[in-house]
Amino acid sequence: MQTHLQPNDPRTDFVAVEKFCKGLGLDIGPGTNKFSPTVLCTDWYQHEGVDLIWNMVHEGGRHPYPFRDNVFDFVFASHVIEDFAPDEIQWVFDELLRMVKPNGHLVILVPDMENLRYPDWDEVFTSEDEEVKTGKRQSGELKGNPSHRLTMGMKCMNGLVSNSKYKVEVVQADTFPHNQMTLDFIIQKK
C-alpha cells in the first residue's frame, strides 16, 4: 500500500505506520487528509473522496458501522478518537476493532497530550507565554483543540486495550520522535 506522499509531505507519520496498512482497509474520519486513495473512507460529513457518510455516535445513540465483523485487514484512524466523549470512547475503540480481521491491525494516531507534546484540550495561554507577550495570542485563549474531549496519551490508549472486549496485542506504540505532537498506537487483533 502506498500513501502516495510527495517529497516534503508533512504526513510522515502516515509513512511510519504504512507497513501495518496492507490489504483491504478503512480510513475513519480523515476529513481532507485521506490515508490513501485506495482505501475505503468514511467520515461524519462530506469531503472530497469520502465514500460513506456515517456518524457512529450521535443524538445520544450508538450506531455501529454497516460492515460485517472481521472484514478489514486494517482500520486507520488518525486524530479522530480524541473527539469522542469519555463515556463513548471504549465503545468506539471496540467498534473499530470489531471490523478488523483476526491478525489485522487497528492503526491509531492521536495527539500526545499526556506527555505535553500537544496542548491539552482545555489548556489556555497565560500572560507568561511568549505568544501573549508578543501579541500573537491573548491570555485565556485556548492552546488545545476544543473538539478534543479526552486527554490522549499512552495511559489512555493502554486503558482502552485493557478494557477491550477483544483479545489484542499492542505491536507498536510511541515510536515517533518526541518533537512531533502525534503518538502512534498499533494494535493487532488476535
Side-chain angles (χ1 to χ4, degrees), residues 3-4 9 15 19 25 52-53 64 86 93 96 100 103 113 125 132 136 138 144 151-152 155 159 183 189-190:
T3 55
H4 306 284
D9 192 307
V15 173
K19 67 183 176 185
L52 172 69
I53 304 300
F93 183 80
L96 300 181
V100 176
N103 297 314
M113 299 169 193
F125 287 97
V132 173
K136 292 181 182 174
Q138 294 185 10
T151 299
M152 297 307 298
K155 182 180 176 185
L183 171 76
K189 186 175 178 183
K190 296 298 178 182

Side-chain angles (χ1 to χ4, degrees), residues 32-76:
T32 59
N33 198 21
K34 191 171 179 179
F35 177 75
S36 168
T38 63
V39 174
L40 184 65
C41 177
T42 180
D43 209 322
W44 69 279
Y45 59 97
Q46 185 65 53
H47 292 286
E48 184 177 332
V50 170
D51 301 302
L52 172 69
I53 304 300
W54 198 264
N55 191 349
M56 66 175 159
V57 178
H58 66 93
E59 298 176 0
R62 296 177 177 177
H63 309 277
Y65 281 102
F67 302 112
R68 296 183 326 242
D69 296 356
N70 307 315
V71 69
F72 294 104
D73 296 299
F74 71 95
V75 172
F76 180 82

Side-chain angles (χ1 to χ4, degrees), residues 117-153:
R117 289 160 56 183
Y118 187 94
D120 206 345
W121 62 275
D122 61 351
E123 189 176 342
V124 296
F125 287 97
T126 67
S127 58
E128 291 80 36
D129 287 313
E130 190 62 31
E131 292 90 341
V132 173
K133 291 178 183 176
T134 61
K136 292 181 182 174
R137 301 289 187 167
Q138 294 185 10
S139 187
E141 188 178 337
L142 284 174
K143 285 184 179 182
N145 184 335
S147 69
H148 296 168
R149 298 166 77 185
L150 292 166
T151 299
M152 297 307 298

